[in-house]
Amino acid sequence: RGPPPQFICSSMSGFVVCLGETLFDSTPAGIFLGGAPGNVAVHLSQLGAKVEFASRVGDDLLGREARRRLSSYGVGVSLLQSETTPPRSGGGGGAGDGPGGCETGFVLCEIAPNGDATYTFNEPAAWDVLAAEPALLSAVAAARCVVHGSLALRAPVTRSTLVSVVGAAKRRVFDVNLRPPHVDEPAIASAAAGAWLIKLNDDELPELARMLGLEAGAVGDDA
């Protein structure tokens, strides 16, 4: 097995920023801290990279536990924002329409007999209102690489922050993670443009190609 990619080697100067959703997955096997950007941050830290995780959690038990666990894995949490007002009760606007004490992200994961999974997200969640704070934008501009995904594009506040991140990052890894109905096609296509590396699965490949206006024949078996 060869060495890890150069940009995550601990011998290299600089750091990586992973940015996006913080959530807990409720599965038949238990409740686990999840979210693709957080998972990447933990694995990079385990490989020896210096990593900062940028997201937002609620002023609640799950938010404090997420911060504690990430820190215990060696992930920097100075960019992990927290809601400062009590969680809202009842209805309201759509996901991430504005501030107002959102709770930490939580997902109900149901597994069908054939192994397919369906996901039900709480919304709005705290990660829907990630603010473009000066510390975050400065870190993004200084980082060797920024890792972010498509799911965080579902809400206007975090989507606006990600637009700023795309403009400031030197190098981006974009994780396509299509979870209907949380799929903003124009925003996903825009984020994919200019990415240094795009991570996606076999089902997501033709979907992204369609969003980018590529012909079916342009995406071959070796893509």
Side-chain angles (χ1 to χ4, degrees), residues 16 18 35-47 51 75 147 173 175:
V16 178
C18 295
N39 291 338
V40 172
V42 169
H43 288 300
L44 287 178
S45 179
Q46 291 173 334
L47 287 169
V51 188
V75 175
V147 181
V173 174
D175 182 2

Side-chain angles (χ1 to χ4, degrees), residues 67-187:
R67 186 180 297 273
R68 184 194 69 78
R69 292 193 194 184
L70 289 165
S71 295
S72 73
Y73 290 128
V75 175
V77 293
S78 63
L79 302 177
L80 181 56
Q81 303 169 10
S82 294
E83 293 281 71
T84 57
T85 55
R88 290 180 288 188
S89 61
D97 286 335
C102 298
E103 296 178 338
T104 299
F106 194 84
V107 181
L108 176 62
C109 177
E110 298 178 279
I111 310 297
N114 64 358
D116 290 342
T118 58
Y119 303 90
T120 304
F121 295 81
N122 70 324
E123 57 178 312
W127 55 270
D128 287 316
V129 287
L130 175 64
E133 296 179 346
L136 171 58
L137 298 181
S138 295
V140 164
R144 290 189 61 83
C145 185
V146 175
V147 181
H148 68 101
S150 62
L151 185 57
L153 294 166
R154 75 172 186 171
V157 175
T158 299
R159 184 165 61 244
S160 176
T161 296
L162 283 170
V163 169
S164 299
V165 165
V166 166
K170 299 173 185 175
R171 175 183 287 168
R172 291 186 300 111
V173 174
F174 182 49
D175 182 2
V176 178
N177 194 5
L178 303 182
R179 295 285 184 266
H182 308 294
V183 178
D184 187 314
E185 293 193 2

